[in-house]
Amino acid sequence: MKDEPLKEPVRIGVFICHCGSNIAGTVNVEALAEFSGKLPGVEFSTHYVYLCSDPGQGLIKDNVKQRGLNRVVVAACSPRMHEETFRRTVKESGLNPYLLEVANIREQCSWVHMNQKEAATEKAKALVAAAVMKSLHNEPLEPLTIEVEKSVLVVGGGVAGIQASLDLADQGFKVYLVEKQPSLGGHMAQLDKTFPTLDCSSCILTPKMVEASRHENIELLVYSEVKSVGGNVGGFEVTVLRKPRFVREELCRACGLCAEKCPVRVPNEFDMGLGERKAIYIPFPQAVPLKYTIDPEHCLYHQKGVCRVCEKFCPEKAVDFDQKPVEVKLKVGAIVIATGYEPYDCSQKYEYGYGRYKNVITNLEFERMVSASGPTYGQILRPSDRKPPRRVAFLQCVGSRDVNSNKYCSRICCMASVKQAHQVKEKDPSSDVVIFYTDLRCFGKGYEEFLERVQGEGVKVVRGRVAEVLEDVSGNLRLRYENTYLGEVFEEEFDLVVLAAGLIPSDVEELRTILKLSTTPDGFLAEAHPKLRPVETFTDGIYVCGTAQGPKDIPDTVAQASAAASRASALLSKGVVTVEPITAEVDEDRCGGCGLCVQACFFNAIELEVREGMKRSKVNQVLCKGCGVCGATCPSGAIKMRHFTDEQLKSEVEAILSTVRR
Amino acid sequence: MTSYSLFLGCIVPNRYPGIESATKMVFNKLGVNLKDMLGASCCPAPGVVGSFSEQTWLTVAARNLAIAEENRADVVTLCNGCFGTLFEANNTLKNEEETRKTVNALLSKTGRIYRGNVEVHHFAKLIYEGHLDQVKRLSQSLTGLKIAVHYGCHLLRPGTLKKIDNPEKPVFVDELVRNLGAESVDYKDKHMCCGAGGGVRSSNLELALDMTKEKLENVKASQADCILNVCAFCHLQFDRGQRELAEKKGLEYNIPVVHLTQLLGLAFGLNPRLLGLQAHAISTQPFLRKITKVSVQ
Amino acid sequence: MPTSIQESRSRAVETVLDELISHSRNLLKCVQCGACTGSCPSGRRTQLRVRRLMEKVLMGFEDVLNSDDLWLCTTCYVCFDRCPRDAQPTSVIKRLRNIAVRKGFMKAAHQKVARLFCDTGHLVPINDEVRAVRKSLGLSELPPTVHSYPESLKELETILEATGFRRMTG
């Protein structure tokens, strides 16, 4: 790494962007350019309507070359937006890219002071002065290059994770697909038919599950969870915990004799508790891998030390009560997060009676009921008396579009209810089916047409958010609502109420903390840019797709999974990755070897090593994120942050203070 | 000894003084000192005066709060309306500096000032949170009594402001009742309004009574021995409302109406006459007889 | 009948809306879902449609101020708590009532109650029957409220004078 200061005298160019009217509408850019021209070391200053455009970048390059500039200050939008763009511009002009300094006069100035033009201009001057003064101390830095492992970890075995895995595996990359449940499939496996085409969900998903399990490049790690992730883009070190099935996968032939003999009945989570399974079970008949699992929470042997009936009857001797959790260590170049969603807990919407009234169910429970392989073999029966309902109400936006639960639209529930309403009508055309909605959002391809068809089948749609549900002794339900088109209040009786439960993110708090991912205010994982980087996270080499990123339907999920796979594959195919050289550096002469920095570092990037009999801190340049905590902790001032040295920061602060005082 | 400023409001002292005497005796048994708020006025009623002039409502409330501040003791109220007004006004005045300045400018003409150094409590929550064990110790068991609890609106709502209990499914008064050994019965539309609030009772008695009627029908269906309330205004509406429904519509319910302070007084073995239970519009005798039977057992 | 929204609006009503919005910004976020009306115990038996009231306010219809509907709400706050946009309908209704009273739209029964408040400091003042009950319970014949302290009633009068309450509700 070369970081000796430039020998030649400093010649700074200041380039001010109008950003159309985003900046120039508030900040007086002419005055700012004039002011900048007089700052120490500034050789040239100018302003331009869109600096990020081709001609804008050309303007920078031409001036660097013609005027022999050796530092560039760009006053524009946030560096998050275009620092990379302008670093490239500076590099193409023949300078080290780290000799660029960005002053954010849009997000931190013009946008927040739109109605204070003069004050905003003064603030912009202070920000540019700070950037110029820092620029005087900027030094050329060389990025580090790392080799990329040609393998990927995919977390989550729903349709998003399966699709991403298949795409990557087909391109020849090794994929480790981790799923916490005993089978692949996720929520899509629970669905009966999918809107708007009414494809059987299992029929389109099962082949993909099987393909994933048989693919030579995919290693399935089901019933497993990610324990820890170290390392960095290109070389993540992952520890996966494989939970014991207490059944040896290589021996189990899924004959089912064990479950037949098992005496313990447990509500089946896969059937949303509507059906039962045994303590040794497969979650559903199409499970992949098709291997039995013992649930130790309910198994008599695990709980009370007696039974072992399954072991006795297993013809393959596959039951193994001595199985222990196993840690698997992986090294991967990239990670795809596809951890999906959970349904909103409708019992929190107390006025709808879910959890108290037997005949109030959720739409995922309805899916299990209407599924031919479900607990009622496809019959729609109301839970209280197992009779087919004659009047069914669907209530929209339960746990969505509601400041009391989640503000966002869950995006799938309108169509899910329209489809389910169709299925009620299909089974019993004489039944009354009503969908209560605030707005029916049927925006996808073929969705509006499907709604039209279902309305034609006699399903009624009533605009009004149901206020409350009351139950009578027969288990019938009375809905209180206003038909907002009529402006009239009704109390109407139904046999069965289906709540369109919203989507909430799966609980991935642990994983999120391990990977240092951020979330959007709704709790879903944040993408790096909502439009331009929709599958990347703020952590290099980590991608996100499916409902982990936000509520979406199957087509969008699959498209996004392929997008995530494609971004990961771009990284892996390139083979090398460069990382920012903005890292900590230890001055060995001043380091006392106290180790405080080692404890302070969030990224395990600092170690103590013994050199010439003395303990000294050593920074791993690949792991270091340049956050600066070690520098602030060091009692002897031995740690310098490249690109953010004390000298650089002080000069910025002084520049701001002296501009403001003026 | 803990002290509170007892805010009487209007209905308790001027219509149901039995609630006032019950309160004094019950809190005395609990070892809580109650200070009178000398010269306090109407809270003023949130849905009436608050509907006419928010500024008047706030300033008069500030005066009442200032009296409690002079007592150097937090306020305890016996009526959801009083609680609603004083709690909400206190909250607004504490958090909105401009409003506080305006209100204090008006209040200063009386020589008083609102400082914002007392809290406002509802008696039921205060007892539930601070004295449940004592209540259990002091009470004879009321096993066999079926009680229809009515929470009322302004105790719990708006939920995000009051944070007393979940307004869709409050439980703490039911738990209190169960701790006395009695049964808290479920009934249809349990958390519906009594019908009196918002100036509806004064301007549209027929509408108010129509809502009361619905509640009474539902309570009747539950075969409860009484309606238990924690609000003097709901108490008045259920008690007098039954008489009014009888007079106007010939509807006879005869469901005894009991304020929680009175029920606690009975559980503590106090004389029903001193709790004012003989001074209700609807006779409490059937209920009292059942209690006597209970206490004999 | 006005033929357009513009015609039905007056500058005065726009001020009403401005005043409401300055207190209850979320009013603007109403989605007209009807959860308020459906939750309303009064609306189940009257013409009160809270949702429609909100829309009328937003559209600047003047007739909300002298409409009887405004006074059918018991301020039970169920709509307030259930509103998915936190548009605070109960508060909007109370503020509309304040404006209506300022403009002189007030029911005779309410004027009577307001007068009681001005004259006695209580909305429900004492009477002879209750005086007797108080004595029999061992309580003071008059409660220790404004009823016992004429100087307190003076204080109250001072406040009501300063806020213009008596004038407004007279």
Side-chain angles (χ1 to χ4, degrees):
Chain A
M1 182 145 311
K2 306 179 288 183
D3 49 8
E4 61 269 21
L6 289 189
K7 302 287 185 285
E8 54 200 303
V10 165
R11 295 166 68 85
I12 303 173
V14 178
F15 299 86
I16 294 151
C17 182
H18 299 189
C19 195
S21 62
N22 275 307
I23 292 170
T26 301
V27 171
N28 182 338
V29 286
E30 287 89 6
L32 186 58
E34 196 193 323
F35 164 86
S36 310
K38 294 177 191 148
L39 290 167
V42 175
E43 184 67 21
F44 172 70
S45 72
T46 188
H47 56 91
Y48 187 72
V49 59
Y50 286 115
L51 274 183
C52 60
S53 69
D54 235 25
Q57 294 187 50
L59 180 81
I60 296 173
K61 284 188 235 175
D62 292 348
N63 278 292
V64 169
K65 285 178 193 153
Q66 284 161 17
R67 296 172 194 269
L69 306 177
N70 54 22
R71 297 283 201 285
V72 171
V73 169
V74 168
C77 54
S78 161
R80 267 217 129 116
M81 189 73 203
H82 276 314
E83 188 170 53
E84 267 316 303
T85 314
F86 292 118
R87 273 192 190 155
R88 230 178 299 126
T89 314
V90 168
K91 194 178 174 194
E92 284 163 16
S93 342
L95 294 177
N96 181 290
Y98 292 89
L99 296 174
L100 164 80
E101 195 59 36
V102 177
N104 178 355
I105 60 167
R106 192 178 77 173
E107 284 84 346
Q108 290 175 354
C109 188
S110 67
W111 277 359
V112 284
H113 306 297
M114 237 170 240
N115 301 318
Q116 305 152 273
K117 297 193 175 179
E118 275 174 32
T121 304
E122 289 309 302
K123 181 171 171 182
K125 285 180 185 172
L127 293 170
V128 171
V132 166
M133 294 312 286
K134 175 165 186 263
S135 173
L136 287 172
H137 301 282
N138 277 358
E139 293 166 0
L141 300 172
E142 291 305 326
L144 290 168
T145 306
I146 314 167
E147 292 270 329
V148 176
E149 287 286 329
K150 304 267 182 186
S151 58
V152 186
L153 168 72
V154 176
V155 189
V159 66
I162 293 171
Q163 184 65 43
S165 299
L166 288 172
D167 283 5
L168 284 159
D170 284 347
Q171 292 175 69
F173 301 113
K174 173 81 185 171
V175 176
Y176 302 97
L177 175 52
V178 173
E179 164 59 45
K180 69 175 178 207
Q181 298 296 334
S183 169
L184 293 179
H187 285 301
M188 188 175 165
Q190 292 177 291
L191 307 182
D192 178 42
K193 288 177 181 168
T194 56
F195 56 78
T197 46
L198 299 174
D199 299 285
C200 153
S201 186
S202 293
C203 311
I204 56 179
L205 181 66
T206 310
K208 278 193 183 284
M209 288 159 62
V210 172
E211 195 186 340
S213 72
R214 294 203 181 140
H215 204 293
E216 55 177 4
N217 287 334
I218 298 179
E219 189 172 326
L220 279 191
L221 296 155
V222 294
Y223 212 40
S224 303
E225 282 174 44
V226 175
K227 278 281 281 188
S228 68
V229 179
N232 210 318
V233 54
F236 293 105
E237 284 147 10
V238 183
T239 308
V240 174
L241 185 79
R242 304 209 66 178
K243 292 178 277 189
R245 276 181 188 268
F246 304 108
V247 172
R248 291 170 65 180
E249 278 190 25
E250 70 279 12
L251 297 179
C252 175
R253 298 191 180 281
C255 67
L257 208 56
C258 53
E260 207 181 301
K261 301 292 179 191
C262 173
V264 184
R265 291 179 178 276
V266 185
N268 190 354
E269 304 81 356
F270 185 82
D271 286 333
M272 305 304 292
L274 293 175
E276 284 180 334
R277 62 164 171 83
K278 295 294 186 67
I280 185 164
Y281 70 106
I282 49 167
F284 55 103
Q286 304 86 359
V288 171
L290 194 61
K291 306 287 173 189
Y292 276 77
T293 307
I294 292 177
D295 160 13
E297 263 181 53
H298 295 98
C299 167
L300 282 182
Y301 179 69
H302 279 96
Q303 292 300 317
K304 295 181 179 157
V306 290
C307 188
R308 298 183 84 132
V309 164
C310 50
E311 190 182 36
K312 200 165 92 194
F313 282 94
C314 177
E316 308 294 332
K317 303 279 168 251
V319 174
D320 177 4
F321 282 104
D322 296 328
Q323 263 187 7
K324 297 275 177 296
V326 181
E327 281 194 354
V328 182
K329 305 262 182 205
L330 309 171
K331 187 138 193 203
V332 295
I335 299 174
V336 175
I337 310 287
T339 45
Y341 76 92
E342 289 301 327
Y344 169 77
D345 171 13
C346 291
S347 67
Q348 289 182 35
K349 194 91 184 149
Y350 191 78
E351 55 269 40
Y352 289 166
Y354 179 76
R356 293 184 294 141
Y357 308 156
K358 278 188 174 167
N359 295 328
V360 176
I361 63 171
T362 67
N363 47 9
L364 211 46
E365 288 167 9
F366 182 97
E367 280 301 323
R368 291 315 301 147
M369 216 169 2
V370 81
S371 161
S373 61
T376 58
Y377 307 101
Q379 291 182 83
I380 302 165
L381 301 174
R382 43 185 237 150
S384 71
D385 49 17
R386 303 186 66 79
K387 285 186 184 147
R390 301 278 302 134
R391 295 176 53 73
V392 182
F394 290 87
L395 272 53
Q396 298 310 107
C397 301
V398 183
S400 310
R401 303 185 66 209
D402 181 355
V403 292
N404 303 307
S405 52
N406 300 303
K407 282 190 181 181
Y408 52 84
C409 167
S410 289
R411 296 179 93 246
I412 63 163
C413 351
C414 281
M415 283 305 290
S417 293
V418 171
K419 185 217 65 167
Q420 294 182 346
H422 157 79
Q423 288 177 298
V424 178
K425 273 282 185 194
E426 190 180 46
K427 308 245 174 205
D428 179 2
S430 71
S431 58
D432 285 326
V433 185
V434 186
I435 299 173
F436 293 94
Y437 70 96
T438 305
D439 299 282
L440 264 183
R441 295 182 164 170
C442 305
F443 50 85
K445 188 170 175 172
Y447 290 8
E448 181 64 23
E449 297 90 321
F450 185 72
L451 170 67
E452 187 208 4
R453 166 183 162 183
V454 172
Q455 282 186 276
E457 292 166 356
V459 168
K460 288 194 192 69
V461 292
V462 171
R463 191 183 179 284
R465 194 180 178 103
V466 171
E468 58 195 325
V469 179
L470 308 169
E471 186 191 41
D472 70 16
V473 282
S474 66
N476 284 358
L477 304 156
R478 297 186 77 80
L479 268 56
R480 275 196 185 133
Y481 67 93
E482 183 193 14
N483 178 324
T484 61
Y485 286 144
L486 294 177
E488 281 183 40
V489 188
F490 295 90
E491 197 172 298
E492 200 177 343
E493 196 168 296
F494 289 88
D495 307 334
L496 182 70
V497 167
V498 185
L499 305 179
L503 272 52
I504 60 169
S506 293
D507 180 12
V508 287
E509 195 45 35
E510 214 174 312
L511 187 66
R512 199 184 68 76
T513 317
I514 294 171
L515 298 176
K516 299 182 176 62
L517 302 176
S518 25
T519 55
T520 33
D522 53 18
F524 290 95
L525 293 175
E527 61 282 2
H529 188 283
K531 295 171 188 71
L532 303 178
R533 297 172 70 197
V535 294
E536 291 159 83
T537 66
F538 289 115
T539 309
D540 291 342
I542 301 182
Y543 307 91
V544 61
C545 61
T547 49
Q549 181 262 345
K552 54 179 65 69
D553 57 14
I554 296 167
D556 283 4
T557 295
V558 172
Q560 203 184 26
S562 286
S566 145
R567 295 306 302 153
S569 125
L571 167 75
L572 265 51
S573 307
K574 199 175 162 197
V576 289
V577 62
T578 54
V579 293
E580 286 258 50
I582 301 174
T583 52
E585 186 183 9
V586 181
D587 179 344
E588 286 198 22
D589 295 338
R590 294 173 83 172
C591 174
C594 70
L596 281 176
C597 54
V598 178
Q599 292 164 32
C601 179
F602 297 122
F603 305 97
N604 301 322
I606 312 183
E607 283 174 341
L608 280 185
E609 56 172 30
V610 180
R611 258 172 290 168
E612 295 159 15
M614 308 275 272
K615 279 186 180 166
R616 294 280 183 264
S617 295
K618 185 173 184 248
V619 179
N620 178 328
Q621 300 296 329
V622 177
L623 295 182
C624 175
K625 300 272 180 196
C627 72
V629 167
C630 56
T633 315
C634 178
S636 49
I639 298 181
K640 170 176 142 186
M641 302 308 306
R642 291 194 186 97
H643 212 55
F644 292 95
T645 62
D646 289 353
E647 203 182 16
Q648 288 171 332
L649 295 179
K650 259 189 251 163
S651 63
E652 280 187 284
V653 174
E654 276 162 16
I656 289 174
L657 292 178
S658 60
T659 314
V660 173
R661 264 189 229 115
R662 217 170 20 91
Chain B
M1 192 152 72
T2 336
S3 290
Y4 289 96
S5 299
L6 175 64
F7 185 78
L8 290 173
C10 303
I11 294 167
V12 169
N14 300 338
R15 289 296 176 272
Y16 290 93
I19 299 175
E20 187 177 331
S21 57
T23 302
K24 288 185 170 164
M25 289 189 280
V26 164
F27 275 85
N28 185 35
K29 286 242 176 196
L30 294 175
V32 176
N33 181 38
L34 293 178
K35 295 182 173 181
D36 283 335
M37 288 175 63
L38 304 181
S41 65
C42 174
C43 53
V48 183
V49 177
S51 285
F52 300 161
S53 160
E54 193 176 351
Q55 196 173 51
T56 306
W57 171 76
L58 257 179
T59 312
V60 176
R63 179 181 171 275
N64 285 328
L65 290 166
I67 293 173
E69 290 177 356
E70 286 155 27
N71 273 350
R72 295 179 184 281
D74 282 0
V75 180
V76 61
T77 66
L78 306 171
C79 167
N80 291 357
C82 303
F83 176 69
T85 283
L86 297 180
F87 182 91
E88 285 168 37
N90 202 29
N91 187 65
T92 304
L93 293 167
K94 275 188 185 181
N95 296 323
E96 295 176 19
E97 202 186 330
E98 282 306 306
T99 313
R100 185 169 65 243
K101 278 186 192 156
T102 315
V103 165
N104 264 332
L106 289 164
L107 190 58
S108 66
K109 296 180 199 294
T110 68
R112 296 189 192 264
I113 179 167
Y114 166 87
R115 290 195 166 79
N117 53 23
V118 291
E119 301 292 330
V120 178
H121 307 273
H122 188 282
F123 83 95
K125 193 66 193 288
L126 197 70
I127 289 174
Y128 175 77
E129 277 189 342
H131 303 277
L132 196 55
D133 287 339
Q134 260 175 302
V135 165
K136 271 193 274 188
R137 222 170 30 245
L138 291 167
S139 300
Q140 51 180 327
S141 176
L142 301 180
T143 321
L145 268 191
K146 292 173 80 176
I147 288 177
V149 173
H150 170 83
Y151 283 85
C153 306
H154 293 222
L155 166 64
L156 304 166
R157 297 184 188 271
T160 44
L161 180 66
K162 299 285 170 60
K163 298 190 178 76
I164 298 256
D165 204 337
N166 183 338
E168 296 286 351
K169 51 162 180 176
V171 292
F172 81 95
V173 178
D174 304 85
E175 276 181 31
L176 244 166
V177 164
R178 281 194 283 272
N179 271 295
L180 297 177
E183 181 194 350
S184 172
V185 299
D186 209 4
Y187 60 98
K188 190 185 172 209
D189 273 320
K190 182 170 172 178
H191 305 302
M192 184 188 152
C193 173
C194 70
V200 172
R201 180 176 165 83
S202 52
S203 69
N204 197 337
L205 184 60
E206 195 159 340
L207 170 60
L209 288 177
D210 196 49
M211 285 187 242
T212 313
K213 187 184 109 193
E214 187 177 338
K215 285 225 69 156
L216 290 168
E217 295 281 356
N218 292 334
V219 170
K220 192 176 161 192
S222 77
Q223 296 182 312
D225 298 311
C226 75
I227 299 175
L228 179 77
N229 62 78
V230 293
C231 167
F233 198 26
C234 301
H235 182 91
L236 178 140
Q237 179 66 8
F238 285 127
D239 190 42
R240 302 213 161 186
Q242 285 189 69
R243 194 169 63 194
E244 288 152 355
L245 281 166
E247 285 164 4
K248 290 174 195 292
K249 312 251 174 202
L251 294 166
E252 299 269 355
Y253 294 98
N254 291 320
I255 305 170
V257 180
V258 182
H259 191 265
L260 177 60
T261 52
Q262 295 174 314
L263 185 74
L264 288 169
L266 289 171
F268 290 179
L270 299 170
N271 182 346
R273 290 203 75 77
L274 294 178
L275 303 170
L277 284 158
Q278 73 289 1
H280 288 190
I282 298 302
S283 169
T284 53
Q285 274 310 314
F287 172 71
L288 289 173
R289 269 200 297 278
K290 199 155 179 194
I291 292 223
T292 327
K293 244 194 283 170
V294 165
S295 15
V296 168
Q297 280 167 352
Chain C
M1 273 298 275
T3 54
S4 73
I5 287 170
Q6 281 71 27
E7 270 180 55
S8 71
R9 270 183 165 158
S10 68
R11 184 60 224 156
V13 173
E14 276 172 27
T15 326
V16 169
L17 185 58
D18 290 345
E19 184 181 336
L20 281 170
I21 290 167
S22 74
H23 284 95
S24 329
R25 277 214 76 77
N26 283 2
L27 163 64
L28 299 173
K29 299 183 183 175
C30 173
V31 273
Q32 289 287 300
C33 68
C36 46
T37 316
S39 299
C40 181
S42 178
R44 287 206 284 280
R45 59 200 87 233
T46 65
Q47 281 313 299
L48 174 59
R49 296 288 175 269
V50 180
R51 176 191 56 78
R52 202 160 54 195
L53 202 63
M54 298 288 280
E55 182 69 7
K56 282 196 160 191
V57 170
L58 281 166
M59 290 297 134
F61 283 92
E62 203 172 0
D63 61 352
V64 292
L65 290 177
N66 61 359
S67 145
D68 271 355
D69 294 0
L70 207 51
W71 300 95
L72 299 175
C73 162
T74 65
T75 68
C76 76
Y77 282 95
V78 180
C79 57
F80 187 111
D81 278 348
R82 287 188 186 158
C83 173
R85 286 291 179 87
D86 192 25
Q88 311 191 344
T90 319
S91 301
V92 169
I93 289 173
K94 282 180 70 176
R95 294 205 163 101
L96 280 171
R97 288 175 170 187
N98 270 245
I99 299 167
V101 166
R102 273 209 313 268
K103 290 185 179 296
F105 300 118
M106 202 172 169
K107 289 171 169 293
H110 283 150
Q111 285 174 320
K112 210 171 116 190
V113 173
R115 215 167 308 128
L116 274 180
F117 180 52
C118 293
D119 293 346
T120 70
H122 282 294
L123 283 192
V124 182
I126 192 93
N127 58 29
D128 290 345
E129 187 196 334
V130 178
R131 279 176 188 247
V133 177
R134 291 188 63 88
K135 272 208 284 193
S136 74
L137 293 170
L139 295 167
S140 57
E141 190 176 333
L142 284 176
T145 64
V146 269
H147 276 338
S148 297
Y149 299 92
E151 64 274 21
S152 284
L153 195 57
K154 279 267 177 303
E155 281 181 38
L156 216 62
E157 279 167 4
T158 308
I159 292 173
L160 299 182
E161 185 58 39
T163 62
F165 184 79
R166 196 190 274 270
R167 212 170 41 250
M168 217 182 326
T169 58

